[in-house]
Amino acid sequence: EPVESFDYVIFGATGDLTMRKLLPALYRRFAEGQITADSRIVGTARSPLDDETYRERARKALGEHVRADELIDATVNRFLRLVHYVSLNGAESTGNWDGLKTLLESNASADRVRVFYLATAPDLYGEIARNVSEQGLRSDTSRIVLEKPIGTDLDTARKVNENVGRYFPENSIFRIDHYLGKEAVQNIIALRFANPMLERMWDRESIDYVQITAAETVGLEGRGGYYDGSGALRDMIQNHLLQVLTVVAMERPESLDADALRDEKVRVLTSLKPLDRNNLRANVARGQYVQGTAGGKAVPAYREELPGETESNTETFVALKAEIDNDRWQGVPFYLRSGKRMPEKVTEVVVQFRAGEPGLFGEARPGSRLVIRVQPNESVTLPLFVKHPGNSFGLDEVDALSKLGQPERIRYRDSYEGLMLDAVKGSPALFVRKDETEAAWKWVTPILEGWSQDETGPDSYEAGTWGPESARELLQQAGHVWVEDI
Ligand code: BG6
């Protein structure tokens, strides 16, 4: 089913995100017949390029970031006909806005959907929104998509929201968190609420603790300028991991409507017990990698990867214990962690059920462990004990395993594919609402403040390991262990 014809205007069109994620996502949806041939994709950035030069860059990007078997020359050529380029600094009111306007008005009917996708530095969002609006480009069917990070703390996030909100109503603002575009994250909602058995066991009575890990093997990837001012807490925890947490922990929403869903997610965020400098040490571990081995080869320390500055205290790893102050979750730790230069690239949720009683089968039975693998190789596994065949009551552990769907035959869509078209359709369910971003920042900001007053800085960990010892100790206090140590 194609979506209605649209114009997609991308600010930051020569940047990394556009080349690596946005254009490939649009290409794939086009190749699947979801994008009509009269839709347009208009890249804007400061570089003075013409359409042809930009198309060649786009072609190269597709060559690098789309799997070879999905690249069909004729399809690529047809796709590139949709692509245009206008040289423009979106944050300045002078410049070729007329060119952009003329292009947008050239064949569009008045009510054609326009999506303005902001993939620039976030401090420009307010200005771009203002210019788009004051130059008369915004219509009733316009939407604006904001990439993360929205701000760097609660105050700056509020400012971004306020500045953009002056020109776009909230229901046309789509804050993207690409983790919500991941098939296996969306599946958590189905798993929890489509299986009454699990739904009944999804609380403190049955669940001992939860772990949410997003580990990466990469280091700085040449993004030092951005990353060093950010760190793992802002880059991953504030958005992606807290989003996964909300989906794992929320109450059953009244419906799957955008607001019903997001109301419940906000409730989780506002119920998080505050962490601040008084309880930081016991609940949060931060680390920075020193040299080690990754993927079989020696890699330098974070501080050596950084251009120039060597004394940085930016954390490349965070592990923390979050608690949700409500009836369902009182006393159940949610351990969140994310880091660069870990031993493997893996995102997963581990739900550890409580241990059983000793008796029939000897010692207390260990609690079952439900593992939701978000990437790579999406799956849900739940090992169960069954009787060993034969004359005794020995036990075997079997893996009740499910891949999601049929991954051998079906390629899961990249997280951006669905989300970019949701913005066209005007479906905000999988986007982050204003109060949601602000609630997440409200919880995260005191941690940042606590750190800034603590001169010890992050603990070191060797590249290619699971983070500093302090991350292990965080769980040991409660007799818990990270999944790789079990
Ligand atoms: C981005 C972060 O939001 O997510 C990056 O800025 C990180 O630092 C990336 O590498 C991880 O995304 P994914 O989809 O590869 O898990």
Side-chain angles (χ1 to χ4, degrees), residues 17 20-21 147-149 177-179 182 214-216 218-221 223 226-227 230-231 234-236 239-240 338 340 345-347 374-375 414-416:
L17 183 79
R20 275 204 320 188
K21 295 287 186 183
E147 256 298 332
K148 68 156 262 267
D177 184 309
H178 78 282
Y179 270 52
K182 293 185 191 287
E216 299 183 90
V218 293
L220 267 184
E221 296 184 293
R223 298 159 79 219
Y226 154 73
Y227 193 86
S230 169
R234 290 188 175 100
D235 187 51
M236 295 290 292
N239 37 72
H240 307 321
S338 182
K340 301 279 187 199
K345 164 104 183 161
V346 56
T347 301
V374 174
Q375 60 188 19
D414 181 71
S415 42
Y416 279 90

Side-chain angles (χ1 to χ4, degrees), residues 286-475:
R286 59 172 160 159
Q288 188 190 73
Y289 60 84
V290 297
Q291 43 184 209
T293 8
K297 60 175 204 295
V299 295
Y302 175 74
R303 290 182 181 192
E304 292 160 10
E305 272 190 68
L306 275 183
E309 158 140 46
T310 53
E311 291 304 296
S312 167
N313 264 344
T314 298
E315 81 287 357
T316 60
F317 173 93
V318 180
L320 57 80
K321 175 177 164 190
E323 286 182 87
I324 301 166
D325 201 356
N326 64 18
D327 287 350
R328 180 183 300 277
W329 295 119
Q330 201 59 253
V332 178
F334 282 75
Y335 298 110
L336 270 46
R337 71 177 164 167
S338 182
K340 301 279 187 199
R341 290 282 189 234
M342 304 269 102
E344 43 176 319
K345 164 104 183 161
V346 56
T347 301
E348 99 187 342
V349 179
V350 176
V351 179
Q352 177 66 57
F353 287 90
R354 292 190 187 281
E357 300 292 322
L360 285 187
F361 293 97
E363 312 211 321
R365 305 300 313 150
S368 309
R369 193 176 316 116
L370 173 72
V371 180
I372 300 164
R373 171 63 70 101
V374 174
Q375 60 188 19
N377 305 325
E378 298 85 344
S379 66
V380 179
T381 57
L382 180 64
L384 294 175
F385 288 97
V386 296
K387 185 186 152 311
H388 182 75
N391 236 346
S392 77
F393 267 98
L395 297 177
D396 286 337
E397 194 177 35
V398 295
D399 229 1
L401 174 140
S402 104
K403 296 187 170 178
L404 304 185
Q406 300 164 292
E408 338 31 52
R409 282 195 288 126
I410 295 174
R411 179 188 70 78
Y412 288 123
R413 297 187 305 179
D414 181 71
S415 42
Y416 279 90
E417 293 177 43
L419 295 177
M420 286 187 85
L421 291 196
D422 278 357
V424 172
K425 294 184 219 155
S427 313
L430 298 173
F431 290 80
V432 183
R433 211 167 56 187
K434 176 172 183 250
D435 50 348
E436 233 180 318
T437 332
E438 293 180 6
W441 274 119
K442 190 167 180 193
W443 187 71
V444 161
T445 301
I447 305 177
L448 292 165
E449 286 166 359
W451 281 350
S452 72
Q453 289 161 12
D454 176 354
E455 274 149 27
T456 33
D459 302 327
S460 319
Y461 64 97
E462 207 179 299
T465 66
W466 287 105
E469 197 45 38
S470 47
R472 202 162 286 139
E473 287 161 8
L474 187 71
L475 274 66

